[in-house]
Amino acid sequence: MLTYPELKNLIQFISFLFSLGLNSLLIYLILTKSPKKMENYRYLMIYFSCFAMLFSTVDFVVGPFVHSHEKSFCVLADRTNWKLGEGSQYFLICVLCGCFGVTITFFAIHFVFRFFALERKGRVAYFRGWYFAIWLTIPVVFGVLWGCTIAFLVGPDAEKTEYLRESVLSNYNMTMENVTYIAGVYWKKTADGGEEMVLNSMIAILIFLTLMSISFTIVCYYGFLSYQRITELIDEGHSQYTKNLQRQLYKALVAQAIIPIVLMYLPVGNYLILPLFGVNIAPFSKLVTLLYAAYPAVDPLPLMFIIDNYRIALADYFYCCSSYKNRVTASEEEISRGQTTI
């Protein structure tokens, strides 16, 4: 029977391998099988696939434990066998946390682009030239902001070390002298037995919730607009090809919304917020560790299996079969008429 640390290490390793393999395969499909009308959307997908591989690599190298104890949250890593120094491990933990900021921001940009493409009013031009470079920079800025908040506002200190000591030992059989960690403690006890707010942790959670709220609001707003537009396009479509294509887009939209909400927004949001109100979620935080590691490996799947150009290419390669009843492919004539929209 595997212990939790062993299970965690196994899942992080498997996720790392799958992330490298699936994202590399997706990049190949994007470069060789994408419809011409995808334009810069191809580069957005390649950009995020490369980032997902970086994300999973850092997660595997650091091997973090996402942990919560009473009115605190923390991310810790065992440095028993770490040969590169505590400073480098601390830096990588901050980078790994910053990856969450990059991910949720890119996800929001993805929905903006998807709606502009569906809208067909020429606003996709805002994803070309220098505009496109700015769009690519925004996730990095959000990620750096998230990582710097971690590094400078919720870093380790002697008081936090003692606060977490017993919990870390009982849950992971590790002493605080052998871990590198970041932690936010929302409330600390005073000499008279009361509690007082820890200002740095409160500022940090305010920044985190602001960034998450911005991203989630954009996703919900443009997701709803995209749903409305796809419904209109299905009703407007005169050919079976157009109707089937829009149904594909709708399925991809739903899948691409569910995966990050289930694996990222909800787990991490609850992990950060609930301790603020004194809810001890230590068992749940172990699940957050696994979900966080799994996301980069799972995220490519909707694009690979819902978009016909990619799914059929995979089917032809693995099954040597090119005849499917429900296949929807775009002819060059349909592409030139602008009927394909991703």
Side-chain angles (χ1 to χ4, degrees):
M1 187 69 177
L2 292 176
T3 64
Y4 173 73
E6 290 171 340
L7 175 64
K8 187 252 336 168
N9 290 337
L10 177 62
I11 289 179
Q12 287 172 338
F13 177 65
I14 292 173
S15 179
F16 166 68
L17 294 180
F18 270 77
S19 177
L20 293 187
L22 292 177
N23 281 289
S24 297
L25 177 58
L26 179 59
I27 290 173
Y28 170 77
L29 292 172
I30 292 168
L31 291 173
T32 61
K33 304 298 180 180
S34 296
K36 293 180 180 179
K37 289 294 290 183
M38 288 182 70
E39 298 185 359
N40 280 353
Y41 188 60
R42 292 174 295 175
Y43 304 116
L44 272 178
M45 292 193 294
I46 291 172
Y47 173 78
F48 190 64
S49 291
C50 291
F51 166 76
M53 290 189 284
L54 172 64
F55 183 167
S56 59
T57 300
V58 175
D59 187 71
F60 172 65
V61 170
V62 174
F65 293 85
V66 177
H67 180 59
S68 177
H69 172 61
E70 295 179 348
K71 299 178 181 180
S72 71
F73 66 88
C74 74
V75 178
L76 55 96
D78 187 357
R79 68 167 183 263
T80 303
N81 298 314
W82 184 263
K83 306 299 183 184
L84 302 179
E86 184 179 355
S88 64
Q89 193 174 36
Y90 182 76
F91 173 75
L92 288 177
I93 289 176
C94 295
V95 170
L96 182 62
C97 294
C99 286
F100 180 81
V102 174
T103 300
I104 61 174
T105 308
F106 182 87
F107 185 50
I109 291 173
H110 171 91
F111 267 71
V112 174
F113 184 96
R114 177 66 62 83
F115 175 69
F116 284 179
L118 288 168
E119 190 183 30
R120 298 180 181 178
K121 292 184 178 179
R123 289 202 285 181
V124 174
Y126 290 119
F127 280 84
R128 300 188 184 116
W130 285 107
Y131 290 117
F132 187 66
I134 293 173
W135 285 112
L136 296 184
T137 303
I138 293 174
V140 177
V141 172
F142 271 58
V144 169
L145 179 57
W146 194 288
C148 287
T149 301
I150 290 287
F152 297 113
L153 292 180
V154 292
D157 59 42
E159 191 172 1
K160 291 177 185 176
T161 297
E162 294 307 314
Y163 181 79
L164 295 168
R165 182 179 298 278
E166 184 178 345
S167 176
V168 170
L169 182 61
S170 62
N171 280 278
Y172 311 113
N173 196 31
M174 294 189 297
T175 64
M176 293 303 293
E177 287 70 30
N178 291 322
V179 302
T180 303
Y181 74 94
I182 60 93
V185 179
Y186 294 120
W187 305 93
K188 65 179 181 179
K189 292 184 178 181
T190 59
D192 60 2
E195 289 185 326
E196 68 178 10
M197 180 188 302
V198 180
L199 184 59
N200 280 2
S201 296
M202 291 297 182
I203 294 174
I205 189 61
L206 180 61
I207 293 172
F208 296 152
L209 293 181
T210 298
L211 296 180
M212 290 181 68
S213 297
I214 291 171
S215 171
F216 194 67
T217 300
I218 291 173
V219 167
C220 291
Y221 177 70
Y222 282 101
F224 177 71
L225 293 180
S226 297
Y227 166 76
Q228 285 187 317
R229 183 57 184 153
I230 288 172
T231 303
E232 292 171 359
L233 288 173
I234 291 174
D235 293 336
E236 293 170 5
H238 298 293
S239 69
Q240 188 62 39
Y241 164 76
T242 302
K243 293 180 179 179
N244 286 342
L245 177 60
Q246 302 313 327
R247 290 192 183 98
Q248 286 178 39
L249 293 172
Y250 173 69
K251 291 177 182 178
L253 188 70
V254 171
Q256 289 175 312
I258 290 175
I259 289 175
I261 287 173
V262 171
L263 297 184
M264 298 287 278
Y265 282 102
L266 290 179
V268 175
N270 286 317
Y271 159 75
L272 292 174
I273 295 171
L274 292 180
L276 178 63
F277 300 100
V279 180
N280 191 354
I281 57 167
F284 172 73
S285 64
K286 293 182 178 181
L287 177 62
V288 176
T289 302
L290 306 182
L291 295 177
Y292 197 75
Y295 177 76
V298 176
D299 189 63
L301 296 178
L303 290 172
M304 293 172 64
F305 292 106
I306 293 177
I307 295 179
D308 273 356
N309 293 68
Y310 303 158
R311 187 183 71 249
I312 293 169
L314 289 173
D316 287 346
Y317 179 79
F318 287 109
Y319 302 108
C320 298
C321 179
S322 60
S323 177
Y324 293 89
K325 292 182 179 180
N326 296 322
R327 177 183 298 186
V328 180
T329 53
S331 67
E332 291 299 318
E333 181 182 357
E334 286 169 323
I335 292 173
S336 67
R337 291 201 304 264
Q339 291 181 335
T340 52
T341 306
I342 299 300

